[in-house]
Amino acid sequence: MSIEPVVLFERRVTTAEILYRMPDYPDLLQSFIWQTHDVIPKFPRLRRFLDHWRLNIEAPIHSVSICAGSLTGVADFSHADVEFRLH
């Protein structure tokens, strides 16, 4: 008798950073941040968004970083000791 692992599907705030290349400037990476509520670990909304991007936008995706947080609970907050500004 084998025991199957239980996969919990939980809805969380999901943030994706998409690095992509513009067709006119292929040597430069640009960043796009997209946030939604999604079901982890499958991320169906994010997958649909990325499929739409690949089919309809002429900017090829370089990479995607995903962060998923809890919908409830205490938020972690920390402050920066130093601020840098580029002019």
Side-chain angles (χ1 to χ4, degrees), residues 28-43:
L28 296 177
L29 285 177
Q30 298 201 29
S31 176
F32 179 80
I33 304 294
W34 189 73
Q35 190 173 59
T36 188
H37 292 116
D38 212 345
V39 179
I40 61 169
K42 300 286 185 179
F43 300 105

Side-chain angles (χ1 to χ4, degrees), residues 4-38:
E4 300 271 334
V6 176
V7 178
L8 299 177
F9 294 98
E10 188 176 340
R11 192 173 166 157
R12 292 192 177 188
V13 175
T14 302
T15 304
E17 179 185 23
I18 302 163
L19 295 180
Y20 64 97
R21 299 181 189 278
M22 291 298 291
D24 295 343
Y25 302 97
D27 293 335
L28 296 177
L29 285 177
Q30 298 201 29
S31 176
F32 179 80
I33 304 294
W34 189 73
Q35 190 173 59
T36 188
H37 292 116
D38 212 345

